[in-house]
Structure formats: structure tokens, C-alpha cells
Amino acid sequence: MKITHVEVHRIVVPPADPPFRWRDGLSGSAPVGDGAVLRIGTDEGAEGVALFARPGAAVMLEDLVERVFREELIGQDPFQREWLWHRVWELDRIHELPLPAFGLIDIALWDLAGRVYNQPVWEVLGGFRRQIPAYASTSTFATVEEFLDVADQCLALGYRGIKLHAWGDARRDAQLCLALRQHVGAEVPLMYDGSAGFDLPDAIYLGRALAEADYLWYEEPMREFSISAYQRLAESVSIPLLVAETSDGAHMNSADFIKVGAATFGVRTSTTLRGGITGAMRTAHLADSYQLRAEVHGSDIPNHHLCMAISNTTYYESLVTATTVVRERHVDDRGMVHAPTGPGIALPLDFQYGSELQQFVEQASA
């Protein structure tokens, strides 16, 4: 079997309704934008797809396919995913590929393999579980009272924990974190994500408040360029750290966080920021060898498959962006997410794809 065509299909990515925001200093939800689907096909009819829905995705992916990817892929064996994953790393040395685009080829090839084998990709990967608890991962709301009300709604809907994305002000965020713990009681798992809003002194201050409130993990308080800063943070706070979400280098960079003792809870892994399925699994296995967690970041469908395939992950991350909470369709009323059943990975129902891509879209009952 050989790859014979590499295509980009543009799709419209609708804006969030209602719009939402992140911490101070970051932009909020994107307006309507041009997303894209990468489609890889073969001389025997087998095909696979990967969704790229970030702002500017269509222009970016069309350029990469025309300049780089198509020439590299045509004539290759689609089952040589490992070789092609390494080849993308080689290309990155010159082209400096955007991190979210890095794993698109790998995702499409895993999707292709699942369709050939007529199995969901989490089963092709070996499979570990058939369900996993979900936590509600908030966007940033205006007041403490709004956060507390959202938390009440999430718990009533069945979510098994709450992760905060707050304002990026260490003292104000600390007050929120303490207030939420007092509000929900001692038994509800709570997490905090700083979205890289702090320097080391403020990260230490907030980390001590999180430890006092018995949060499960403390995630990305600083930009992940300085591993030594994270080492100092780990030495200064008792709250477990979840690190290496956005840093370049996939498993290689994650290894350095672990080596210096900065990954005291574990490392992040995802198809989006760790180089597709292959990079995400390498990261998970690395963490497992140190008896650390590899928590899956993001609630898109490829990461849904990862949650079912990785032994050392704890939760599925489900984004909650409105003060009136609607439970994500993949989460049931007990807060559980169940393993996908269709072949491959599947495109989400959220977008209009056109008839040429309908065969790849998840079933409405999923």
C-alpha cells in the first residue's frame, strides 16, 4: 500500500456561543475562522483524516502541504508511522513547524490504520480501559461567585472534579482557590491551571495556597522555557506539579522536566502538542517508567482515544466555558466518558464538512 494523495479540505469553525475568555493578558475564544481537515489516501482506497481547527489553520495547513508534506508523503507506506513521525522531526529542523501542526500527519495515519483494521484507534494502540471520569475545566469567569455557581452546576451534572483557569493574579487566584475548596468540601478533586501567567515568586505564593487547599495538581503556572525555574518551584511548594504541556520537544523535553524533579505529579500529554498519537504515547510511557502520571490535555476526539489507551492517566478534560453549564455530549450523567466504538478516530460532529468527508464523521450516538 502506498500513499497517493494528500489533500486539505477547508471547513468553517464557528465562534463559541457565548464567547468566553481566558486569564488577563490572553485572548479569548476565537471568532469564526477557517479550519481544515488533512486527508491522506492510498492506492488501495484506505484513507485517514486529521482535524486542524485552530485560528488560521486552513492557510497554515495548505501552505505546509504544498511546500513540504505532499512531496514527503507521496509514495510512502502509510503503515510506517514510526518512520514518518521521525521524518517530520527532520523536517522541523528546517521548517520550524507550528507545534499544533506537528502531529497532523501522524493522527491521519493512525486514523487510516484503524479504518483498515476496522477498530477504534484506542484498541489498535492496545487498549487499557473502556471508561474514564471527566473533570470540568473552566474558562475564566468574572467573579468568585460565578466560579462557585459553575462548580455547583458541574457537580450536579456528574463531573468528577473541577479545574480552574482563573485571572492570572496570584493573590486573587489564591483567594478563589481557597473559596472553592471551602465551598465544595474536602472530597471533590480540584486542580488549578495558571496558563503560564506568573513568574517564579508569584508561582511559589500561589502554589502554597493550593497546597493549603489540598488541590490535586498545579499546572503550567509559568512559561515552560525555563526548566530550572520549575525545578525551583518544585523545591519550594508541596502541591504536586503537572508540567510540560506546551514546551517543544515532546517526550524529549518532558524527560528533562522529570530528570530535575519538576514533574512531581506528572507530565501533560496530548495529540495536539506532543506530536500526534505517536508522540503522546512516547510521553506516556516515559512518565510511566518513573511512576508518574501522563494526564491527557484537551477534549478533542484523538485525545478521547488516548484516555482509553494510556494506563497512567486519571481523567478526561472536558471544557466548560459558559456560566450556564451544558455537559459535553461525550460525558454521561455519572461524569464518565466511554470508549469510542467506530473505526479509526473520527471527526467531531461540531462542524459542517461537506459530503466528501461525511464517511469520517463520528456517529451522533457516540
Side-chain angles (χ1 to χ4, degrees):
M1 187 182 297
K2 300 295 182 185
I3 295 172
T4 55
H5 57 275
V6 183
E7 302 170 356
V8 177
H9 296 258
R10 284 192 173 224
I11 62 169
V12 174
V13 179
D17 184 20
F20 61 88
R21 68 187 185 97
W22 300 113
R23 68 162 173 83
D24 296 343
L26 297 181
S27 57
S29 57
V32 63
D34 291 327
V37 173
L38 176 67
R39 183 178 186 178
I40 297 175
T42 69
D43 56 356
E44 296 185 20
E47 294 184 303
V49 295
L51 175 67
F52 194 29
R54 300 174 73 90
V59 172
M60 189 186 309
L61 185 56
E62 286 176 340
D63 173 66
L64 286 172
V65 167
E66 291 300 320
R67 285 192 304 109
V68 185
F69 290 166
R70 182 176 287 118
E71 181 180 355
E72 290 291 334
L73 289 172
I74 296 297
Q76 298 294 339
D77 181 345
F79 292 113
Q80 287 193 297
R81 292 180 299 274
E82 186 75 16
W83 187 89
L84 290 168
W85 190 78
H86 280 274
R87 184 62 190 151
V88 173
W89 274 100
E90 284 288 284
L91 298 172
D92 178 65
R93 174 60 185 84
I94 295 297
H95 295 284
E96 291 288 340
L97 302 175
L99 193 56
F102 195 94
L104 290 172
I105 291 172
D106 187 72
I107 294 169
L109 293 178
W110 276 101
D111 181 53
L112 183 152
R115 294 175 188 280
V116 169
Y117 300 139
N118 197 32
Q119 288 184 304
V121 162
W122 68 270
E123 285 189 341
V124 180
L125 289 167
F128 181 77
R129 59 174 65 84
R130 294 185 180 274
Q131 62 179 5
I132 193 169
Y135 67 85
S137 182
T138 75
S139 59
T140 303
F141 303 115
T143 65
V144 170
E145 291 72 25
E146 285 188 351
F147 273 106
L148 299 185
D149 181 60
V150 166
D152 286 341
Q153 293 180 63
C154 291
L155 295 175
L157 288 169
Y159 282 103
R160 300 297 188 91
I162 309 289
K163 189 180 84 171
L164 298 175
H165 292 87
W167 302 290
D169 178 312
R171 280 146 184 81
R172 189 182 180 200
D173 287 13
Q175 292 171 357
L176 169 63
C177 293
L178 292 166
L180 181 61
R181 171 54 75 202
Q182 183 176 16
H183 183 74
V184 302
E187 300 304 316
V188 176
L190 299 178
M191 309 82 154
Y192 173 87
D193 188 332
S195 299
F198 306 108
D199 61 9
L200 180 58
D202 277 348
I204 291 172
Y205 175 91
L206 181 53
R208 289 172 176 166
L210 293 171
E212 178 185 342
D214 193 28
Y215 273 54
L216 182 61
W217 75 60
Y218 186 18
E219 181 179 344
E220 201 193 1
M222 303 176 287
R223 290 304 300 268
E224 293 177 335
F225 300 127
S226 174
I227 294 176
S228 62
Y230 272 90
Q231 181 181 18
R232 292 287 301 278
L233 178 63
E235 293 167 350
S236 302
V237 299
S238 59
I239 176 74
L241 303 182
L242 181 61
V243 299
E245 175 182 316
T246 62
S247 55
D248 253 331
H251 62 291
M252 292 181 285
N253 181 273
S254 299
D256 289 330
F257 278 92
I258 293 171
K259 181 177 183 295
V260 303
T264 48
F265 189 89
V267 297
R268 272 299 196 188
T269 193
S270 68
T271 58
T272 311
L273 300 176
R274 299 286 87 183
I277 298 285
T278 299
M281 294 301 292
R282 281 173 176 258
T283 303
H285 294 155
L286 166 72
D288 189 46
S289 69
Y290 286 90
Q291 294 295 285
L292 294 169
R293 307 283 173 85
E295 294 294 337
V296 175
H297 166 250
S299 54
D300 59 8
I301 292 179
N303 290 321
H304 188 171
H305 285 265
L306 280 184
C307 283
M308 303 304 161
I310 293 174
S311 64
N312 53 327
T313 197
T314 315
Y315 293 100
Y316 173 87
E317 180 173 23
S318 179
L319 195 59
V320 170
T321 60
T323 53
T324 300
V325 180
V326 177
R327 188 174 59 233
E328 182 188 338
R329 66 176 178 275
H330 296 115
V331 182
D332 71 16
D333 59 5
R334 299 180 300 111
M336 300 300 291
V337 176
H338 299 270
T341 57
I345 294 175
L347 297 173
L349 288 167
D350 309 82
F351 311 113
Q352 297 296 319
Y353 297 102
S355 58
E356 67 274 14
L357 294 176
Q358 283 304 310
Q359 63 180 305
F360 302 105
V361 180
E362 66 176 332
Q363 299 299 306
S365 60

